[in-house]
Amino acid sequence: MTDFTPRFLKDYQPAPYQIHTVDLYIELDDERTLVRNQMQIKRHGDADENEPLVLDGQHMELQGLWLNGEALNASRYQCDEQSLTITHCPQAFTLTIETLVNPKANTALEGIYKSGGAFCTQCEAEGFRRISYFLDRPDVMAIYTTTIVADKDKYPYLLANGNCIERRDLERGRHLVTWHDPFQKPCYLFALVAGDFDLLEDRFVTQSGREVALQLFVDKGNLDKARFAMQALQDSMAWDERVFGLEYDLDIYMIVAVDFFNMGAMENKGLNIFNSKFVLADQRSATDDDFFNVQAVIGHEYFHNWTGNRITCRDWFQLSLKEGLTVFRDQQFSADMHQPDVTRISNVRLLRAQQFAEDAGPMAHPIRPEKVVEMNNFYTLTVYEKGAEVIRMLHTLLGEQGFQRGMKEYIARHDGQAVTCDDFIAAMAAANDTDLQQFSLWYSQVGTPQVEATSNYDANSGSLTLTVEQRPASGQQHPPLLIPIGYELLAQDSKKVMHKGVLSLTQTTQQFTFEQLNEQPVVVLLTGFSAPVKLHFSQCEDELMTIMVHADDGFSRWEATQILFRQCIAHYYQDESFSLADSLSRAFADILDAEVEPAFKALQITLPGFAEMTEFLQDVEPQQLLNALSRFKLDLLGKQQAKLQAMYQACDQKLQSGEGHGAGYRALKNACLEYLVQGQSFDTEVTAQYQKASNMTEKIAALQVAASENLPCFEALNRDFFAQWQDDSLVMDKWFSIQARIEDDAVFERLEGLLNHPKFSMRNPNRARALIGSFAVHNPKYFHHASGRGYDWLTDQIVKLDAINPQVASRLITPLIQTQGFASSVQETMRKRLQRLQQLDDISADIGEKINAALV
Ligand code: 0A1
Ligand code: ZN
């Protein structure tokens, strides 16, 4: 029976024992890997001397156990499925444990497992307990020495954390390598890799003049696809020195790319392990978004070296301590490496489309959760993305200098420790001599707060009063938060910015007054998306159009267009005979004509999607919303076809002449394409785009629209694409994803065929996500098919996947548990599938926790 017992933040207790050193000796074998773990352990000063030592451990065979070198008598210990308990421990002692694990049978991809021909590990959050019995919790920090033994031909590279201190050949073609990591770390940062790779090497000289060897290990034949990641690593290292004054601390930094990985990447000390999707990229096979993501994830894992590794979390409830902060850091890095406005808008789009839904759904939790059944379920958009928004608000309130003062204080106080979110806030407050008590409520509140604003201009006195009110998300209660609200006041005539700044909303209702304004300004609120809230501030079309063109803040210019679009889509949704108003068509023309960066324009003309719109409407009938979205797009095209076509061609010419940054023009060209393929024949152009493209961004966009619009050219292009790329695993993921998005009545038969396709494997998380995840997220028409067949299909796949890899199954179930926002009949159809899952015998804690939350 699966254990669904939750753990609570309020029950935290320090560990009664500390493990100070860990000496691992690991003999790798596909099915019988031997792990000998020798630890120096001390009882905590406050702990009772009768306190037993309870070590976590799962999926292992215990082979031997020695205390201070003597085999332990069976009466002194007890071993079950989850733990090893040792009684009558002395105050300080050496414990040696020998276990066997089976990497080949490990399909959950936690602990030691095989990816292709290589051995690798994943220990966060609680995977080390599948390698050896241990106090598997982040506040137990030790110094590790790791010896790996394996066949030398098959596994020429044997890697672990820290510096290599020994290397020699052994009998029977085996070799041995020993690594020593001089930094204390929790076991979740332990890593080991053994395999045969191509190696890309370079170096980085730190600001203090130390040389660091940089090594990137990739599957054979992929060296050229690793060069961009190497550059991204060097850029990240330089950026962290320049902006945060933080320097790397070991002599070597290794990254290994593997094809089988549950998440994006992992920041193990000195030995990051990456999903190959976030390392390998070249123009032919990767899109501009892929390049962006490679750089961001390389940065993210590198930045963890200080925010996560040098200073780690006391317990897993504090996950946002390292993740919110590190996502904020990687967002700032991306903003500096690209266009800040465009980067910020992408952050906000992700937050709104996905995190808002999570925060309104059954698994809603504070950025510092208080109750957890399966920790892997809490690597969420809330902890990561909303967590980063909370750090960003601090940055906004304290300013860059104040924020950096706080960071210095945080590091000075806590380097080498496992700490809490409160410790972080306390350091920030102390360094800035300010009180952040109210601010810290952001760590415990749930749901997206609502902010309502009204403005009142008094022409006689020349004063403008803004009345701003905050409310917790529906169904939630908490005292008022400290919400920074960025603003601009624009002059009506000159369109100049008269005032700008940040308002601190601290009360439920508050008024802000601006004096000496000789005209009524246009008010821009929530500039830069200064807080993760839903703002209600009604503005007329004219005001929005002014903001769209004249606001200083890029986010607000984009947001003004999005508000217009959302309002219009809502009309289409509510009224089947609604058609486009001339004013909106003109506004759209103005956007197309404006002199702005192409990447920015691409975002401006991209319509809010299905997920985002469900956030803004109530009781959504999915097919009706899809219908509204497509009618709106078709009407915009109908009015502005000539302009869109001209823009498409202009981008194409810019690209051919190699002028400017290609990525911006490609984004804009593809955004135009999305319109142009609606309704009328654009078959020839799509085929031409596909055939001419020398980069994946344009090629895949052509194939994608051909699929989603069922263009006659699709079959031929699809076959061509498959023939060309069938041996490239990352591109095959793209291909599977596209197949799942085809919108026609044959979809369910096609999906069955794809599950049995020779290139499909449930065991590869990227592949499972490409097919199953894409269908559920990107094919709303059939996922939300009124018959419920889409929900059935997802449910069937979840059942199969849960038996193989619960973590991945649990991520893919998200679209089925987020029933809120839909009409009650739709919710009912979805819940029936969840009930079916709930009744199954052996479901994992991962999906069990979610289903139980959804069905209360
Ligand atoms: N700490 C990693 C995320 C991560 C979490 C869990 C994993 O496996 C269960 C893997 C990676 C990061 O933030 O990048
Ligand atoms: Zn992270």
Side-chain angles (χ1 to χ4, degrees):
M1 262 308 274
T2 313
D3 184 8
F4 292 117
T5 323
R7 288 172 282 176
F8 294 90
L9 167 60
K10 65 176 169 45
D11 295 339
Y12 173 82
Q13 293 286 336
Y17 290 87
Q18 270 293 333
I19 301 174
H20 294 274
T21 63
V22 178
D23 269 278
L24 291 166
Y25 171 87
I26 300 178
E27 268 183 31
L28 291 170
D29 180 84
D30 274 3
E31 287 166 45
R32 290 172 68 81
T33 284
L34 174 83
V35 179
R36 186 181 314 130
N37 170 14
Q38 183 165 99
M39 298 170 277
Q40 279 170 7
I41 304 181
K42 282 197 183 127
R43 190 166 55 240
H44 196 279
D46 299 337
D48 188 320
E49 57 174 43
N50 293 321
E51 184 78 40
L53 172 65
V54 185
L55 300 173
D56 308 293
Q58 295 170 347
H59 306 278
M60 289 179 302
E61 265 179 59
L62 181 62
Q63 299 286 298
L65 188 56
W66 297 264
L67 197 146
N68 287 335
E70 286 195 26
L72 208 59
N73 188 301
S75 67
R76 289 276 301 281
Y77 69 90
Q78 232 183 30
C79 192
D80 63 26
E81 297 273 85
Q82 299 292 328
S83 59
L84 170 65
T85 303
I86 302 170
T87 53
H88 308 295
C89 296
Q91 200 272 325
F93 56 101
T94 303
L95 186 70
T96 309
I97 306 176
E98 249 184 50
T99 45
L100 280 178
V101 293
N102 183 344
K104 206 172 152 192
N106 181 350
T107 58
L109 315 187
E110 288 178 88
I112 302 190
Y113 65 93
K114 290 211 85 175
S115 172
F119 287 96
C120 62
T121 56
Q122 172 55 41
C123 295
E124 188 176 9
E126 297 176 329
F128 194 80
R129 64 185 63 187
R130 295 173 178 236
I131 297 178
S132 183
Y133 286 101
F134 206 74
L135 288 172
D136 190 357
R137 44 188 289 169
D139 58 352
V140 171
M141 297 171 81
I143 300 284
Y144 286 69
T145 307
T146 307
T147 298
I148 312 168
V149 173
D151 183 90
K152 193 171 180 178
D153 275 349
K154 268 173 125 171
Y155 308 103
Y157 292 105
L158 302 180
L159 315 174
N161 317 85
N163 302 312
C164 181
I165 55 171
E166 191 185 356
R167 189 186 295 278
R168 64 189 154 86
D169 289 343
L170 301 174
E171 73 296 352
R172 289 187 284 122
R174 298 180 314 158
H175 65 151
L176 170 155
V177 179
T178 301
W179 294 80
H180 178 75
D181 181 357
F183 291 94
Q184 285 206 98
K185 63 167 176 285
C187 64
Y188 82 85
L189 290 173
F190 169 80
L192 164 160
V193 173
D196 191 5
F197 302 98
D198 272 349
L199 169 59
L200 181 65
E201 289 188 278
D202 210 322
R203 55 183 217 130
F204 182 83
V205 179
T206 69
Q207 58 187 4
S208 68
R210 274 187 323 98
E211 184 168 323
V212 181
L214 308 180
Q215 301 191 324
L216 237 156
F217 298 85
V218 295
D219 276 355
K220 296 240 160 206
N222 280 332
L223 267 196
D224 282 337
K225 291 190 186 164
R227 296 188 201 284
F228 179 78
M230 179 62 86
Q231 184 61 50
L233 176 59
Q234 290 163 325
D235 291 341
S236 309
M237 296 176 89
W239 187 87
D240 215 14
E241 291 186 347
R242 184 161 54 77
V243 179
F244 279 77
L246 295 171
E247 192 175 313
Y248 186 60
D249 52 8
L250 285 166
D251 301 331
I252 183 167
Y253 193 91
M254 297 173 280
I255 293 177
V256 183
V258 298
D259 284 341
F260 283 60
F261 201 76
N262 283 349
M263 306 270 279
M266 181 62 212
E267 70 265 22
N268 317 300
K269 185 76 186 189
L271 176 57
N272 290 184
I273 299 178
F274 270 61
N275 186 328
S276 55
K277 175 181 164 67
F278 296 111
V279 173
L280 303 176
D282 66 9
Q283 281 295 333
R284 279 190 67 240
S285 66
T287 64
D288 294 323
D289 285 346
D290 293 330
F291 277 96
F292 182 96
N293 293 333
V294 166
Q295 188 187 50
V297 178
I298 292 267
H300 180 94
E301 305 311 329
Y302 176 74
F303 303 142
H304 265 316
N305 189 54
W306 277 96
T307 51
N309 300 6
R310 289 288 286 256
I311 306 184
T312 193
C313 303
R314 185 192 72 173
D315 55 74
W316 288 122
F317 298 101
Q318 317 292 332
L319 181 60
S320 202
L321 172 80
K322 72 176 176 88
E323 296 305 346
L325 179 54
T326 305
V327 172
F328 172 72
R329 278 152 53 68
D330 85 54
Q331 289 178 348
Q332 297 294 83
F333 168 61
S334 294
D336 280 355
M337 304 301 285
H338 300 269
Q339 288 154 267
D341 290 347
V342 170
T343 307
R344 184 67 189 133
I345 292 164
S346 311
N347 305 154
V348 177
R349 287 185 70 197
L350 174 69
L351 193 82
R352 277 197 186 141
Q354 297 184 31
Q355 194 279 326
F356 279 20
E358 181 171 276
D359 229 349
M363 283 293 287
H365 52 277
I367 62 167
R368 180 185 52 209
E370 285 159 12
K371 175 184 165 200
V372 165
V373 173
E374 171 49 62
M375 187 54 214
N376 288 329
N377 279 340
F378 289 83
Y379 287 77
T380 58
L381 289 141
T382 300
V383 168
Y384 276 63
E385 305 299 322
K386 185 176 178 181
E389 293 300 318
V390 171
I391 302 293
R392 181 177 296 278
M393 287 191 282
L394 261 185
H395 185 269
T396 302
L397 293 164
L398 303 174
E400 167 68 10
Q401 277 189 3
F403 185 80
Q404 291 299 345
R405 249 197 318 278
M407 283 298 298
K408 291 219 158 55
E409 181 65 23
Y410 171 60
I411 290 169
R413 288 183 180 192
H414 299 300
D415 188 11
Q417 300 176 1
V419 303
T420 63
C421 298
D422 286 339
D423 292 324
F424 176 78
I425 292 292
M428 282 280 158
N432 289 283
D433 200 13
T434 185
D435 183 350
L436 293 171
Q437 193 95 36
Q438 185 183 15
F439 183 80
S440 64
L441 284 172
W442 279 105
Y443 283 85
S444 53
Q445 64 80 226
V446 176
T448 308
Q450 310 261 346
V451 171
E452 188 135 2
T454 50
S455 73
N456 188 9
Y457 177 71
D458 179 356
N460 289 330
S461 62
S463 73
L464 172 85
T465 303
L466 288 175
T467 306
V468 189
E469 194 184 329
Q470 58 168 304
R471 261 180 286 125
S474 84
Q476 302 295 331
Q477 273 187 335
H478 53 75
L481 303 164
L482 167 49
I483 304 179
I485 300 188
Y487 73 93
E488 288 177 17
L489 304 183
L490 301 179
Q492 295 268 10
D493 293 339
S494 67
K495 316 290 189 202
K496 291 254 152 53
V497 177
M498 302 153 75
H499 278 270
K500 64 178 184 178
V502 179
L503 307 170
S504 281
L505 177 66
T506 56
Q507 295 158 29
T508 302
T509 307
Q510 211 167 330
Q511 291 200 323
F512 301 91
T513 306
F514 299 87
E515 311 281 1
Q516 293 178 326
L517 302 172
N518 44 24
E519 57 170 314
Q520 175 166 7
V522 174
V523 181
V524 191
L525 285 183
L526 210 67
T527 52
F529 195 67
S530 57
V533 299
K534 287 188 186 171
L535 173 69
H536 308 275
F537 180 41
S538 91
Q539 290 185 296
C540 66
E541 233 171 72
D542 276 353
E543 287 176 306
L544 289 169
M545 287 191 210
T546 301
I547 297 171
M548 196 168 90
V549 183
H550 299 286
D552 263 5
D553 172 49
F555 164 78
S556 301
R557 275 183 270 126
W558 170 79
E559 176 70 343
T561 61
Q562 295 293 302
I563 295 173
L564 286 173
F565 288 155
R566 287 197 297 260
Q567 288 171 348
C568 203
I569 294 166
H571 286 133
Y572 274 86
Y573 176 73
Q574 273 134 17
D575 177 357
E576 268 185 40
S577 58
F578 188 83
S579 64
L580 198 63
D582 284 344
S583 57
L584 207 109
S585 157
R586 263 188 313 237
F588 190 61
D590 288 349
I591 299 170
L592 291 171
D593 289 339
E595 296 265 323
V596 296
E597 289 287 333
F600 187 82
K601 191 178 287 188
L603 285 171
Q604 272 193 312
I605 66 169
T606 300
L607 300 180
F610 179 83
E612 225 172 316
M613 283 310 297
T614 47
E615 285 294 309
F616 287 91
L617 300 169
Q618 260 122 43
D619 300 330
V620 170
E621 294 284 357
Q623 305 303 330
Q624 196 176 321
L625 174 56
L626 288 165
N627 187 279
L629 284 164
S630 77
R631 274 157 50 225
F632 179 49
K633 211 184 224 176
L634 200 57
D635 282 358
L636 285 173
L637 175 71
K639 300 271 185 183
Q640 300 303 343
Q641 182 158 2
K643 272 194 200 305
L644 284 161
Q645 195 133 8
M647 181 149 301
Y648 177 83
Q649 260 134 24
C651 289
D652 191 48
Q653 267 152 25
K654 293 273 187 199
L655 287 167
Q656 295 202 18
S657 68
E659 224 181 294
H661 278 301
Y665 289 111
R666 284 191 285 274
L668 184 53
K669 182 178 170 187
N670 288 337
C672 294
L673 180 65
E674 293 263 336
Y675 286 92
L676 292 164
V677 290
Q678 306 288 314
Q680 87 294 9
S681 162
F682 209 62
D683 211 58
T684 324
E685 289 84 346
V686 170
T687 305
Q689 169 162 337
Y690 175 88
Q691 280 166 350
K692 270 190 345 200
S694 57
N695 60 80
M696 186 54 78
T697 310
E698 287 178 81
K699 208 176 253 308
I700 202 85
L703 188 62
Q704 171 55 49
V705 295
S708 56
E709 300 305 317
N710 283 313
L711 300 188
C713 62
F714 174 68
E715 286 304 331
L717 300 188
N718 199 38
R719 251 180 279 120
D720 176 86
F721 191 89
F722 181 84
Q724 194 181 350
W725 294 105
Q726 54 182 314
D727 295 322
D728 183 317
S729 170
L730 294 174
V731 180
M732 272 297 101
D733 292 335
K734 297 183 195 305
W735 185 82
F736 273 95
S737 164
I738 284 184
Q739 312 308 303
R741 295 161 76 151
I742 301 173
E743 290 185 11
D744 66 15
D745 289 335
V747 65
F748 296 107
E749 288 70 47
R750 183 178 307 107
L751 287 171
E752 277 317 298
L754 290 161
L755 288 171
N756 295 315
H757 193 284
K759 293 280 175 193
F760 184 77
S761 162
M762 267 305 187
R763 285 188 170 214
N764 180 330
N766 286 356
R767 197 57 48 88
R769 284 185 282 255
L771 184 63
I772 303 166
S774 288
F775 172 70
V777 176
H778 298 297
N779 199 339
K781 182 167 173 195
Y782 287 92
F783 177 61
H784 292 291
H785 195 269
S787 65
R789 284 185 77 184
Y791 308 143
D792 279 334
W793 188 79
L794 179 63
T795 307
D796 292 343
Q797 307 325 312
I798 297 287
V799 174
K800 286 187 259 176
L801 195 49
D802 193 43
I804 296 171
N805 188 329
Q807 222 184 100
V808 175
S810 184
R811 283 193 174 262
L812 291 177
I813 204 174
T814 303
L816 198 57
I817 64 165
Q818 289 178 353
T819 59
Q820 77 280 356
F822 293 113
S824 58
S825 59
V826 178
Q827 296 201 27
E828 206 31 55
T829 323
M830 295 171 88
R831 290 166 66 88
K832 284 216 180 85
R833 276 67 194 178
L834 295 173
Q835 279 152 359
R836 194 186 121 202
L837 283 170
Q838 198 177 34
Q839 277 151 19
L840 296 178
D841 283 341
D842 261 342
I843 56 169
S844 64
D846 307 58
I847 65 163
E849 178 174 28
K850 292 191 174 178
I851 292 166
N852 292 341
L855 290 177
V856 283

